[in-house]
Amino acid sequence: MKARTTAINQLKGFVVGAEPALRDQLRGLSSKALSRARTLLLPSTVERMLMSELATRIHHVTEQLSRLETAMTRTVTACAPELLDRPGVGYDSAAALLIAVGDNPERMKNEAAFAALCGVSPVEFSSGKTTKRRLNRGGNRQANAALYRIVLTRLRWDETTQNYLQNRTAQGKSKRDVIRCLKRYLAREIFTILKTIPDQYKNLAQHKLTT
């Protein structure tokens, strides 16, 4: 994905400085349309040749991504279909969580250990008579990012999560604090599902998704 984004940005940069006739043809095209515009970029000049090479690279990387996503979807569906049934859990987030579990099986002893693995366990930073907790910046960052994506999706589409946000903000909590709480609750929910998956399937998912 990073390689595709870099190539798209480079191609768009070339479009801005291209000759007027070519710039008018390519201006306003989406990234997908630009990657398919190789017929307009016949290598009559060095500039056009470079743009054609970039468009070809974008096309090939996009095809690779499609094949990888198909394989990832098939693996996640086979290993953890219950996980995909939960609101807001997509294949990429489920894959990140399965990889984290496969890499750290010893962290699945209990729900608190799994929360610490995902970096959502609360960290005390109290002072005097004030008791506070801050965001945990440790743990597996890919798993943490997966939980964050799921929470954001639920905040947008899930009515129960939206009501929780409204209630907690009415109590004086900031949105950032509420998201931290939601990630912690979500880790508990995800752990309940993952602990029911046999170890051989966890190891299979970890192997297939990381190779």
Side-chain angles (χ1 to χ4, degrees), residues 1 5 11 31 34 37-38 44-45 48 58 65 75 86 90 98 108 117 134-135 144 157 166 174 188 195-196 208:
M1 290 180 69
T5 300
L11 181 55
S31 300
L34 275 176
R38 297 189 298 278
S44 56
T45 64
R48 284 179 176 248
I58 295 168
L65 274 173
T75 301
R86 305 306 304 163
L98 285 170
M108 290 296 292
L117 168 64
R134 68 166 175 82
L135 181 69
N144 186 281
W157 301 108
Q166 294 176 358
S174 67
R188 183 180 297 120
K195 73 177 182 179
T196 64
K208 285 188 175 181

Side-chain angles (χ1 to χ4, degrees), residues 15 19-29 34 37 40 48:
V15 170
E19 57 195 67
L22 180 60
R23 184 172 64 245
D24 291 340
Q25 285 181 295
L26 301 178
R27 181 185 296 168
L29 293 181
L34 275 176
L40 298 176
R48 284 179 176 248

Side-chain angles (χ1 to χ4, degrees), residues 82-153:
E82 301 89 350
L83 192 58
L84 296 172
D85 290 337
R86 305 306 304 163
V89 181
Y91 294 104
D92 53 346
S93 297
L97 292 168
L98 285 170
I99 290 172
V101 171
D103 282 339
N104 304 274
E106 72 283 357
R107 306 290 289 273
M108 290 296 292
K109 294 180 180 179
N110 53 59
E111 178 261 333
F114 176 70
L117 168 64
C118 296
V120 295
S121 56
V123 178
E124 297 283 350
F125 73 116
S126 304
S127 176
K129 296 181 179 180
T130 303
T131 302
K132 292 184 178 180
R133 295 177 177 178
R134 68 166 175 82
L135 181 69
N136 185 347
R137 294 180 175 84
N140 185 293
R141 303 320 297 169
Q142 285 72 36
N144 186 281
L147 294 179
Y148 182 71
R149 289 193 299 270
I150 296 170
V151 167
L152 290 186
T153 302

